[in-house]
Each structure stands twice: as structure tokens, then as C-alpha cells.
């Protein structure tokens, strides 16, 4: 595995390999098994696997969150090497943003809900960096985790808008033994909080049973209720949406693809997860 910091070097190296297919996994580092599952699939399906590790400042709407975000470059390199990655692209902020990126993307209704609503500017920052990375890597396929469910929809829309000839592949959520969705932010939880955090996935799973005999509104209310017994939990949102349009549904029959998406604080740490009810 080679580590590259400059876009020009990255492009020259990829070109020199003269491969048929380039696969790409964008990450913000502090890598865990969730990321590595994407990397392994990318390695398997392509001649060359490129993984970027870059904490993108433009997608953080909270300065403290950006400062707190874990950074473990050496461990990341070891994990990527072991997973069979060919190129670890680890640019500086200056390399990715030599000047301010003033582009404003429009994602319509996809960005007015959930993460888009609660983290203003977040998806614009995501689109800025992912488009820059796509331009640098020019991959045939790019891999994203379903953990960031709304992000996958936004990226697919961006690819359509900008007419990138890139296939977007959504990969399943990888979980800790407790069921907690793996996340770089999990390392910011205390041991006690990490145990408590298992409740999130437990409630989502149980809610699929609850949903069989109850309405959408009742299910949303039930999920909210499960987190009211512990002051450390603070719900940002729980929404049950059409998995394609991301718009809230009123009735289970409104769509064949129904997903419940949660964002919840545990202490100061904001965690997200989702579950499929249908589709
Ligand atoms: P991040 O480093 O958080 O920006 O994540 C990089 C990529 O890894 C994104 O496409 C995420 O959706 C994906 N990812 C993060 N955590 C998981 C997980 N637990 N399971 C599957 N994919 C994940």
C-alpha cells in the first residue's frame, strides 16, 4: 500500500497502474470494522482500491465536533494495509481547499429533512468534498455505508446532477456485539455510555415488532418514549420515511421501502442509526 498526500501524485500513480477498474472509499479516518467492510468489498470488486482519509471541515456545522473528531492516522494505515487497500490518500486541508469552496449544491426535499434539517450546511460540505475526491480519483465505483442512510441518497443525487460515470454502492451497517452501529464517534463515549448506547439498536429492532400492530405515529411515539428514562439521552429526531424520497410517511402502505432514521445525543456525543421496516 502506498500513502499519497497530493492530488497530482494520486492521479499520476493511478494512471501509471493502467487498470480497468478503480474503486474508491471516502472516509474521515478513525477507521473501524464498518469502514473496513467497505474497503474489503472495494478490494474484491476492483483492480485498484483507493481509500481517502480526510476530516472534511466544511461538513461540520459544529466547531467543537470538528475539534473533538478522533484522528488516528497510524492505526488507519495499518488497518487499510491489512484490508488490502492499494492507495491511502491522506491529503491536508490546504491540498483539498487551496481556496474556499463557495459552491452551493441543491438537493431539494432530500436535504430539508433529518440530517439536512438538524445539521444545516452538512450535506453541502459532504457534496463539496466528495465531488473533489471523485474528480481526483475518477473511480468506476464508490462505496458508502448505509449507516449514513441520507448521505447515500444525497451522493446518488449529486452523481446524477454532475453526470459522474460512477456506480454508487451502498453497504450494510456493521455493528458492535451489543448491536450499536460502529462509528468513529463511539470512541468518544465512556465505557458506561457505550453500554447504554446499545439501547439505540435494541429499540430500533424492537420497534419493527411494535410496528406490526401499530400506526406510524404510534411507532414514532413508542421509540421516543424508550429514551425518556435516562437523562443522558436526548433525541434529535426519529423519523419514519420513504427510503427513496426520504419524506416522512403517514401510513405503512404509503411505500414499499420504509426506513426509520434516528439521531440521538448520548451526553455530548451525537449518534445516528437506522432500520428497515420494509424493503
Ligand atoms: P466516515 O468516516 O464516518 O465519514 O464514514 C466513511 C464511510 O464509512 C461512510 O460511507 C459511512 O457510511 C461508512 N460507515 C461508517 N460506519 C459504518 C458502519 N458501522 N457500517 C457500515 N458503513 C459505515
Amino acid at each position: 500500500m502506498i500513502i499519497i498526500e497530493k492530488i497530482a501524485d494520486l492521479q499520476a500513480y493511478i494512471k501509471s497502474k493502467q487498470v480497468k477498474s478503480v474503486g474508491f472509499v471516502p472516509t474521515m479516518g478513525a477507521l473501524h470494522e464498518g469502514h473496513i467492510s467497505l474497503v474489503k468489498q472495494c478490494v474484491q470488486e476492483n483492480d485498484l482500491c483507493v481509500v481517502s482519509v480526510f476530516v472534511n471541515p466544511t461538513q461540520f456545522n459544529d466547531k467543537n465536533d470538528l475539534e473533538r473528531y478522533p484522528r488516528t492516522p497510524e492505526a488507519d494505515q495499518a488497518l487499510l494495509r491489512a484490508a488490502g487497500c492499494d492507495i491511502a490518500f491522506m491529503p491536508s486541508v490546504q491540498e483539498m481547499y487551496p481556496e474556499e469552496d463557495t459552491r452551493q449544491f441543491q438537493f431539494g426535499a432530500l436535504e430539508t429533512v433529518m440530517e439536512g434539517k438538524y445539521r444545516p450546511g452538512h450535506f453541502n460540505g459532504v457534496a463539496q468534498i466528495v465531488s473533489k475526491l471523485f474528480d481526483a480519483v475518477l473511480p468506476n465505483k464508490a462505496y458508502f455505508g448505509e449507516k449514513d442512510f441520507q448521505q447515500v441518497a444525497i451522493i446518488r443525487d449529486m452523481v446524477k446532477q454532475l453526470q459522474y460515470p460512477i456506480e454508487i454502492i451502498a453497504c450494510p451497517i456493521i455493528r458492535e456485539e451489543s448491536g450499536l452501529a460502529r462509528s468513529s464517534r463511539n470512541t468518544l463515549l465512556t465505557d458506561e455510555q457505550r453500554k447504554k448506547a446499545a439501547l439505540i439498536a435494541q429499540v430500533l429492532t424492537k420497534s419493527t415488532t411494535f410496528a406490526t400492530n401499530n400506526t406510524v405515529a404510534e411507532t414514532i411515539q413508542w421509540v421516543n418514549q424508550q429514551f425518556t428514562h435516562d437523562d443522558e439521552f436526548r433525541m434529535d429526531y426519529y423519523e419514519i420515511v420513504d427510503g427513496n424520497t426520504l419524506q416522512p410517511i403517514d401510513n405503512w402502505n404509503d411505500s414499499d421501502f420504509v426506513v426509520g432514521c434516528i439521531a440521538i445525543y448520548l451526553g455530548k456525543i451525537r449518534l445516528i442509526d437506522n432500520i428497515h421496516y420494509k424493503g
Side-chain angles (χ1 to χ4, degrees):
M1 185 181 83
I2 181 170
I3 295 155
I4 297 180
E5 292 176 3
K6 302 281 179 202
I7 294 172
D9 295 343
L10 176 69
Q11 291 180 328
Y13 186 81
I14 294 174
K15 206 170 166 201
S16 75
K17 289 288 164 191
Q18 294 198 310
V19 292
K20 274 216 201 89
S21 67
V22 176
F24 176 50
V25 184
T27 82
M28 297 208 297
L31 300 181
H32 50 69
E33 278 178 45
H35 299 110
I36 296 305
S37 73
L38 271 57
V39 175
K40 287 191 171 153
Q41 192 172 338
C42 177
V43 168
Q44 220 166 51
E45 296 180 354
N46 299 276
D47 299 330
L48 200 68
C49 166
V50 183
V51 179
S52 63
V53 175
F54 179 68
V55 182
N56 173 38
T58 72
Q59 73 187 68
F60 284 82
N61 54 324
D62 173 352
K63 216 168 140 269
N64 288 330
D65 188 25
L66 173 61
E67 276 165 18
R68 246 194 328 249
Y69 202 83
R71 290 163 170 85
T72 57
E74 274 91 35
D76 291 349
Q77 288 169 21
L79 285 171
L80 290 178
R81 202 170 277 121
C85 166
D86 298 294
I87 304 172
F89 179 51
M90 305 178 98
S92 65
V93 173
Q94 176 63 24
E95 181 67 9
M96 294 316 294
Y97 296 100
E99 52 193 54
E100 195 189 344
D101 189 342
T102 54
R103 289 176 297 164
Q104 286 294 330
F105 291 83
Q106 304 293 337
F107 295 111
L110 288 180
E111 66 176 341
T112 56
V113 294
M114 302 193 288
E115 294 302 276
K117 183 166 158 194
Y118 285 82
R119 300 182 68 188
H122 169 65
F123 286 124
N124 201 58
V126 169
Q128 286 178 344
I129 192 60
V130 174
S131 63
K132 277 171 178 276
L133 290 166
F134 280 0
D135 290 337
V137 179
L138 300 174
N140 303 90
K141 294 181 180 180
Y143 298 79
F144 292 85
E146 279 209 3
K147 164 153 180 291
D148 299 275
F149 189 78
Q150 192 172 7
Q151 176 169 275
V152 178
I154 293 279
I155 297 295
R156 287 193 199 282
D157 198 60
M158 183 194 81
V159 161
K160 211 158 108 192
Q161 287 184 33
L162 301 181
Q163 297 183 298
Y164 279 114
I166 302 173
E167 187 183 346
I168 301 302
I169 300 183
C171 305
I173 303 176
I174 304 296
R175 299 179 177 281
E176 298 186 358
E177 236 169 78
S178 70
L180 175 64
R182 288 195 184 269
S183 164
S184 305
R185 287 190 173 86
N186 292 355
T187 60
L188 302 173
L189 300 169
T190 63
D191 288 348
E192 199 192 331
Q193 285 175 329
R194 204 158 174 157
K195 277 187 203 135
K196 276 190 193 177
L199 184 67
I200 300 167
Q202 279 163 16
V203 168
L204 294 192
T205 305
K206 279 193 199 156
S207 78
T208 59
T209 310
F210 184 88
T212 55
N213 292 315
N214 293 279
T215 65
V216 171
E218 284 162 352
T219 306
I220 292 172
Q221 196 188 18
W222 183 84
V223 167
N224 274 285
Q225 258 168 13
Q226 307 314 305
F227 297 99
T228 53
H229 311 295
D230 187 329
D231 284 352
E232 265 209 303
F233 281 113
R234 187 165 58 79
M235 186 70 83
D236 236 2
Y237 62 80
Y238 185 62
E239 297 210 4
I240 296 181
V241 302
D242 176 301
N244 292 314
T245 65
L246 305 185
Q247 301 313 296
I249 58 161
D250 295 322
N251 301 297
W252 296 115
N253 286 336
D254 287 352
S255 169
D256 294 331
F257 184 21
V258 178
V259 181
C261 298
I262 193 168
I264 189 164
Y265 280 93
L266 181 47
K268 287 198 171 84
I269 309 305
R270 189 173 182 276
L271 300 169
I272 61 170
D273 198 349
N274 61 77
I275 190 124
H276 288 224
Y277 290 98
K278 266 201 215 175

